[in-house]
Amino acid sequence: MCFCRCSSMIYEFDFNFDSLYIVVQIHPQMKSISNYKAKFIPGITAVTVQSLLHIHHQAPANPFRSTLPITQLDDFTAACYRRDLPAAMKALSFMQKHQIWADSVTYSELIKCCLARGAVQEGKLVHKHVFSAGYQPKTFLINTLINMYVKFNLLDEARALFDQMPERNVVSWTTMIAAFCNAGMKHEALKFLIFMLRNGVRPNMFTYSSVLQACSGLPSLKQIHCSITKAGLDSDVFVRSALIDNYSKWGELPNALTVFNEMETRDLIVWNSVIGAFAQNSDGDEALNLFKHMKRCRFLADQATLTSVLRACTGLALLELGRQVHVHVLKYNRDLILSNALLDMYCKCGSMEDARFEFTRMMHKDVISWSTMIIGLAQNGFSHEAIEMFQVMTSSGTKPNYITILGVLFACSHAGLVDKGWSYFQSMEKDFGVKPGREHYGCMVDLLGRAGKLNEAVELIHNMEAEPDAVTWRTLLGACRIHRNMDLAAYAAKRVLDLDPDDAGTYTLLSNIYVNTSRWEDAEQVRKVMKDNNVRKEPGCSWIEVDKQIHAFVLRDSSHPNIDEITRKLIQYVQRLREVGYVPDTSFVLHDVEGEQMEDPLLYHSEKLAIVYGLMALTKGKTVRIRKNLRICGDCHLFAKLLAQMEDRNIVIRDPIRYHHFQGGVCSCGDYW
DNA sequence: CTAGGGTTAG
């Protein structure tokens, strides 16, 4: 018990320095407050009591207003709680001069106020004030200051403050860990977790939900999940959504789903996490199912939900559903991320009219909006418009980035604009500050290669700054196939296999090249290596939707009920198309050197089986939708086009969208494009 | 009483 005399009034205190709590009991004359709890600062004075009373609006008409310091502290406290920053700062400078201190809570209110207004200078003044001689800020207050610096993006200041703290609690550590995560400094974040454990501070759910961000892409996820479970912290929704998101980044959707399913109570963000997980891992169907489930549970979709739903539509090329989502997007039409997702949906679904309309309507556009349009135009065959769009973009003052320029180079490649592409490539670093990366080189190899300038393409690879990878060489290999340059193709194929020894398609191609050039021994050698390495060609698989039923065709798989009829039809169609000059490209099939069993190579083409089945269904008046139609090779596309022409059924076959267009790739039938 | 989770272009 302690007494404090202030003029004629006597206050009694119960205080406890350790817990920093103080129980104030007012003299019987002021019995309105009893057992009143508040923060306490050492060196208690009448002023403190006064401010405590004031904070809780129970100050009686008091006898202290006459003395200047008390009035100032009063003003300060009141201003902090009113969130009146200028008044608070004015009072603060006075207090600084007269060595008067307020309590931690009041300071933390002031810091909140600085944060809300982005007042960095004022925040720094508060920092200086509470660290000036005569006052010892408590851990709580320093935590608040550290958080302020973190939110102002002043990591160095935050770090310095953290380093000089006499004591650090779980909040101090968590604040720093979260800061590192936000800045993308994963390793620092994990290092701090380890230091924290060494210092004997136990992480809580706040810590883990941050730490999990730092683990994305690191193999320690399982360990962390275990510690969370052991510590009994896995019932927290924040931790759960972070876990879901993490498993999603590893592509471990079953684990993500388990974490989700085990939850008793869910909130919107957890729903968004799990829907996003499936949408991002190109399982649009499951994402949409979850979305339906979410609506049945009476949750209302927000921007993040709709963004993921749009992404699911994009992956499935579900233009109609995308349009329906668009209606809901209208209510958030100022959300840039959502608008960009909508743009991309229209582009990827091939509706450039809608995309252009949306783009024009958008009030704010960022580099992603522009890039989406440039890439969308280029993918849909409007290469020149894409390049014009890029010029409008740069003159409108938006700085292009790595991806934008990839899109522009792709547009040039698609349109065969060798010189233009080359000049963009050469000046990109000077003009836009983007250093050409491996993928830009890959685009140029594609551009030169498609244009038949194979030697220049090789030379470019040899002069690359970054090391060429398997994709780079595969791009060259694709170009060699187009231009039938066997020698260079063999060279490129070997480079691919050096870097990616499991690439079955490339073995096949290399072996075929040797067969075609009568180098039987080399061909045999390739087949042997393939066998020794136990490399198997992944069976291609194609889907087609007929009357809302999905029909899958897998290589050598005869489980489809109509497979015999479809096969007969395919052979028939190919025969008829051959008569009009179609030469099927069968270089993807592994030739048998001994020539023992030469099956019709066309039957290996699951894509063609799907196309034929679709056509048969159309003839019967059914509704056919081609799904996963974004990766179709040149031969299958040609086949479909000729078939449509021949049948004259008014079928429109769109030019294929080269989905993984910046790199050499393989279509689902195993062919290069 | 300070600290934590989900959303867009390749």
Side-chain angles (χ1 to χ4, degrees):
Chain A
M1 192 67 74
C2 151
F3 294 93
C4 175
R5 171 183 285 275
C6 301
S7 292
S8 58
M9 208 77 85
I10 293 178
Y11 293 85
E12 288 176 32
F13 299 96
D14 242 338
F15 63 83
N16 176 346
F17 278 95
D18 291 325
S19 69
L20 301 180
Y21 278 95
I22 165 174
V23 180
V24 185
Q25 278 196 319
I26 308 301
H27 202 266
Q29 287 151 279
M30 298 170 64
K31 51 184 173 267
S32 58
I33 308 175
S34 62
N35 283 334
Y36 163 75
K37 272 188 166 182
K39 282 289 142 6
F40 171 71
I41 316 156
I44 189 152
T45 63
V47 174
T48 316
V49 176
Q50 178 65 21
S51 72
L52 289 173
L53 292 174
H54 185 91
I55 291 164
H56 292 270
H57 309 293
Q58 304 219 24
N62 63 70
F64 313 120
R65 283 204 178 273
S66 51
T67 41
L68 202 51
I70 295 171
T71 312
Q72 287 296 326
L73 184 57
D74 252 5
D75 289 350
F76 176 71
T77 312
C80 288
Y81 282 88
R82 274 206 319 271
R83 299 282 159 108
D84 182 347
L85 188 57
M89 292 314 292
K90 212 173 139 198
L92 187 81
S93 83
F94 184 89
M95 286 156 60
Q96 175 78 39
K97 235 182 275 166
H98 294 263
Q99 294 265 302
I100 301 166
W101 313 105
D103 63 307
S104 302
V105 183
T106 311
Y107 287 129
S108 83
E109 287 299 321
L110 177 57
I111 293 165
K112 266 187 217 161
C113 183
C114 292
L115 259 176
R117 286 153 200 262
V120 181
Q121 288 315 317
E122 286 83 349
K124 284 186 174 171
L125 281 176
V126 178
H127 176 187
K128 231 170 92 185
H129 171 74
V130 300
F131 271 92
S132 44
Y135 188 74
Q136 281 286 339
K138 287 294 159 194
T139 309
F140 158 70
L141 183 52
I142 306 179
N143 287 344
T144 311
L145 278 169
I146 292 177
N147 180 51
M148 177 190 79
Y149 282 124
V150 168
K151 296 285 144 66
F152 282 148
N153 243 327
L154 299 168
L155 262 192
D156 291 341
E157 270 91 340
R159 178 71 197 261
L161 206 45
F162 178 86
D163 285 341
Q164 61 174 62
M165 280 176 97
E167 265 176 33
R168 302 174 187 93
N169 62 17
V170 61
V171 178
S172 329
W173 288 100
T174 303
T175 308
M176 288 312 291
I177 290 173
F180 288 131
C181 288
N182 270 323
M185 300 155 76
K186 290 182 185 178
H187 286 282
E188 286 291 307
L190 290 176
K191 229 163 64 190
F192 264 59
L193 175 70
I194 293 165
F195 289 156
M196 171 181 177
L197 292 167
R198 271 191 208 147
N199 276 273
V201 182
R202 297 204 71 77
N204 62 14
M205 51 260 230
F206 285 81
T207 323
Y208 278 122
S209 51
S210 285
V211 162
L212 279 168
Q213 269 198 60
C215 296
S216 77
L218 270 100
S220 40
L221 172 58
K222 282 264 158 54
Q223 282 176 30
I224 303 260
H225 193 167
C226 268
S227 346
I228 292 171
T229 315
K230 266 188 212 151
L233 297 172
D234 60 347
S235 54
D236 189 72
V237 270
F238 283 69
V239 171
R240 289 263 171 175
S241 55
L243 276 171
I244 292 170
D245 191 50
N246 246 282
Y247 278 121
S248 150
K249 289 196 174 109
W250 277 93
E252 296 185 18
L253 293 181
N255 285 334
L257 202 54
T258 310
V259 173
F260 177 77
N261 285 335
E262 281 173 353
M263 295 179 75
E264 282 160 25
T265 46
R266 301 181 179 124
D267 67 0
L268 180 60
I269 293 188
V270 184
W271 277 106
N272 287 347
S273 305
V274 76
I275 293 172
F278 284 93
Q280 282 159 13
N281 284 284
S282 44
D283 190 343
D285 277 326
E286 190 54 33
L288 292 177
N289 281 337
L290 283 161
F291 176 56
K292 277 182 213 146
H293 189 183
M294 174 185 138
K295 283 195 296 189
R296 275 202 302 277
C297 295
R298 305 208 168 267
F299 278 95
L300 235 67
D302 73 350
Q303 295 99 304
T305 326
L306 293 177
T307 306
S308 289
V309 171
L310 278 176
R311 182 155 169 169
C313 295
T314 307
L316 298 169
L318 295 178
L319 181 58
E320 289 318 312
L321 183 58
R323 278 193 218 281
Q324 288 172 36
V325 176
H326 189 160
V327 179
H328 300 282
V329 169
L330 293 175
K331 121 176 109 170
Y332 302 108
N333 64 4
R334 280 174 35 205
D335 188 291
L336 194 53
I337 297 179
L338 185 53
S339 304
N340 288 343
L342 186 67
L343 265 191
D344 190 46
M345 185 276 294
Y346 280 129
C347 288
K348 292 287 168 16
C349 292
S351 179
M352 289 316 290
E353 301 75 33
D354 290 296
R356 284 195 198 96
F357 186 80
E358 264 315 293
F359 185 73
T360 323
R361 211 190 49 82
M362 279 168 69
M363 301 283 282
H364 302 285
K365 304 174 175 82
D366 66 355
V367 62
I368 295 187
S369 329
W370 288 98
S371 308
T372 306
M373 277 311 279
I374 291 168
I375 291 160
L377 286 166
Q379 282 179 327
N380 285 286
F382 302 97
S383 307
H384 290 94
E385 205 184 321
I387 293 164
E388 275 165 35
M389 176 85 47
F390 177 67
Q391 278 153 358
V392 177
M393 170 186 176
T394 48
S395 53
S396 80
T398 308
K399 196 172 161 291
N401 64 16
Y402 192 96
I403 295 170
T404 323
I405 297 179
L406 271 182
V408 175
L409 294 181
F410 171 68
C412 294
S413 155
H414 207 240
L417 301 170
V418 180
D419 294 338
K420 195 157 198 136
W422 190 248
S423 90
Y424 277 129
F425 179 70
Q426 294 225 297
S427 64
M428 59 188 275
E429 188 162 8
K430 180 168 63 71
D431 290 350
F432 312 116
V434 181
K435 217 169 143 25
R438 184 184 285 146
E439 291 156 300
H440 295 108
Y441 277 95
C443 246
M444 290 310 293
V445 170
D446 189 58
L447 172 54
L448 294 169
R450 276 173 202 283
K453 298 175 184 275
L454 291 171
N455 293 331
E456 291 176 40
V458 185
E459 202 182 318
L460 188 67
I461 294 182
H462 287 149
N463 293 330
M464 267 171 77
E465 281 178 42
E467 275 295 297
D469 64 354
V471 174
T472 318
W473 290 110
R474 253 198 294 267
T475 307
L476 181 67
L477 183 57
C480 293
R481 275 206 63 212
I482 299 172
H483 296 286
R484 304 274 161 212
N485 184 331
M486 299 290 183
D487 290 337
L488 193 54
Y491 172 71
K494 274 191 238 163
R495 295 289 84 78
V496 172
L497 294 176
D498 285 345
L499 295 161
D500 182 6
D502 294 330
D503 187 353
T506 300
Y507 283 105
T508 314
L509 198 61
L510 186 58
S511 160
N512 290 347
I513 290 166
Y514 289 141
V515 170
N516 291 343
T517 48
S518 310
R519 290 165 64 177
W520 311 108
E521 277 172 23
D522 289 329
E524 184 52 38
Q525 178 64 24
V526 171
R527 289 162 56 88
K528 190 176 171 303
V529 173
M530 200 174 166
K531 210 171 171 180
D532 291 349
N533 293 355
N534 210 7
V535 179
R536 288 180 153 215
K537 195 165 185 291
E538 284 272 314
C541 184
S542 306
W543 292 261
I544 196 152
E545 190 183 303
V546 173
D547 281 350
K548 296 191 176 172
Q549 282 261 315
I550 306 214
H551 296 255
F553 294 89
V554 184
L555 274 185
R556 286 184 210 262
D557 177 84
S558 50
S559 58
H560 194 278
N562 303 350
I563 189 71
D564 292 335
E565 191 192 351
I566 299 163
T567 311
R568 266 203 313 280
K569 274 275 190 206
L570 174 59
I571 294 169
Q572 243 176 55
Y573 279 134
V574 172
Q575 191 49 45
R576 280 170 59 193
L577 286 177
R578 274 201 167 111
E579 285 161 18
V580 295
Y582 167 69
V583 182
D585 185 345
T586 56
S587 50
F588 56 90
V589 183
L590 190 58
H591 287 282
D592 199 314
V593 191
E594 283 98 45
E596 281 169 4
Q597 36 167 59
M598 192 65 185
E599 297 173 56
D600 190 332
L602 287 167
L603 305 186
Y604 286 95
H605 239 161
S606 63
E607 197 89 48
K608 290 199 178 68
L609 289 172
I611 292 168
V612 169
Y613 184 68
L615 193 64
M616 285 162 58
L618 269 180
T619 326
K620 289 177 193 155
K622 302 198 175 197
T623 319
V624 175
R625 199 164 67 189
I626 298 178
R627 320 178 116 222
K628 312 247 177 185
N629 61 340
L630 301 173
R631 293 174 65 186
I632 188 163
C633 71
D635 187 47
C636 291
H637 182 244
L638 179 66
F639 176 76
K641 257 193 161 163
L642 290 173
L643 209 54
Q645 250 172 41
M646 189 173 74
E647 287 287 307
D648 192 26
R649 299 188 52 84
N650 204 15
I651 305 166
V652 181
I653 308 265
R654 255 196 3 238
D655 276 340
I657 294 176
R658 288 205 278 154
Y659 202 44
H660 300 113
H661 53 274
F662 297 147
Q663 12 183 289
V666 183
C667 115
S668 57
C669 71
D671 197 6
Y672 278 86
W673 40 260

